[in-house]
Amino acid sequence: VSGIMHEGGTILKSSNKDNLFHYPTHNADGTITYSDVSDEAIKNLKYLGIDALIVIGGDGTLTSARDFQRKGVPVVGVPKTIDNDLPATDVTFGYNTSLETICDALDKIHTTAFSHDRVMVVEVMGRNSGWLALEGGLAGSADVILIPEIPFSIEKVCEYVESRYKTNYAPIIVIAEGAVPKDGDMITKDGSLDSFGHVKLSGIGEWLAQEIEKRTGKEARTSVLGHIQRGGTPTAF
């Protein structure tokens, strides 16, 4: 493991995209069936002589860690997720690095918003937690910050957009991927679920930009930072 200090994310390619307690099998007819293969995984641990697991991850990863612990596997859980949404920890590993990426992106987007006089909607990750949007938006001088914890009024957002233009400045809006409009539903691209039962988010930024254009007549553009937030060299923090 020497020489990996500058690397970001996993070096083991041990993504938690497949839940071993609800493991997907893709059938020839295009259907997917799910089964519990955790016992097979425990057999492999014993075969390899692995006595315990240090599990570094977020909600899905640590849910699996908990379930393996309940089946007798000694586990140490380390809270790592850019969403910063795990209880019993102040700041999760990965969050600060992602936050710096968002701030850097907002610094660059300010230039385009000013020169082109367009509303810039920046969609950031976080699932059902607004930490990235809130702290990234504050540090990046966003004009509007929309987070999952507080359903937002599209009317008030549009009112602010129009008031901002009266000062000859186009606003920058940071919106968390899990943000929800008042009297509305969560916006997703296709409503599909991962193997942990989590809906795949993204799409609220584009929806908001379209609503702003329709209601105010102001040109709006969307930047979805997406997976760029999940990579890069870890910060000093």
Side-chain angles (χ1 to χ4, degrees), residues 23-236:
Y23 193 78
T25 298
H26 298 268
N27 304 312
D29 60 0
T31 61
I32 302 176
T33 55
Y34 295 90
S35 58
D36 183 346
V37 297
S38 59
D39 286 339
E40 189 68 24
I42 293 174
K43 287 180 183 178
N44 289 334
L45 289 176
K46 292 178 179 178
Y47 173 77
L48 294 170
I50 296 174
D51 302 311
L53 294 174
I54 301 175
V55 182
I56 309 170
D59 180 60
T61 301
L62 293 185
T63 296
S64 287
R66 177 205 64 192
D67 293 341
F68 275 111
Q69 188 274 333
R70 288 174 175 174
K71 299 191 78 167
V73 178
V75 169
V76 174
V78 180
K80 178 216 63 78
T81 167
I82 67 169
D83 301 335
N84 200 36
D85 61 352
L86 291 176
T89 183
D90 291 327
V91 181
T92 56
F93 291 104
Y95 171 70
N96 186 261
T97 304
S98 181
L99 190 62
E100 290 294 325
T101 299
I102 291 170
C103 292
D104 180 65
L106 289 175
D107 287 344
K108 292 177 171 63
I109 285 171
H110 272 284
T111 304
T112 299
F114 180 80
S115 63
H116 291 267
D117 214 29
R118 291 172 178 152
V119 181
M120 301 299 292
V121 178
V122 181
E123 181 185 303
V124 301
M125 286 182 170
R127 295 203 62 80
N128 299 314
S129 176
W131 284 111
L132 283 176
L134 179 62
E135 295 195 352
L138 285 171
S141 301
D143 301 291
V144 177
I145 301 171
L146 305 175
I147 61 176
E149 291 84 349
I150 305 175
F152 65 90
S153 165
I154 184 64
E155 290 80 12
K156 286 188 176 181
V157 172
C158 290
E159 285 175 11
Y160 183 82
V161 166
E162 292 180 322
S163 70
R164 181 71 174 166
Y165 270 98
K166 291 178 181 178
T167 64
N168 296 318
Y169 284 97
I172 291 177
I173 301 172
V174 172
I175 185 167
E177 61 184 359
V180 180
K182 285 183 178 178
D183 303 320
D185 298 317
M186 182 177 288
I187 307 296
T188 61
K189 282 189 174 180
D190 55 19
S192 60
L193 304 177
D194 63 20
S195 61
F196 288 89
H198 301 144
V199 66
K200 297 178 181 178
L201 300 180
S202 187
I204 185 65
E206 186 62 34
W207 177 88
L208 181 62
Q210 292 174 359
E211 287 295 314
I212 290 172
E213 284 198 348
K214 182 170 64 177
R215 293 168 183 254
T216 68
K218 306 296 184 183
E219 192 173 3
R221 291 289 186 272
T222 309
S223 290
V224 180
L225 297 188
H227 285 79
I228 192 174
Q229 298 162 88
R230 298 175 60 89
T233 303
T235 62

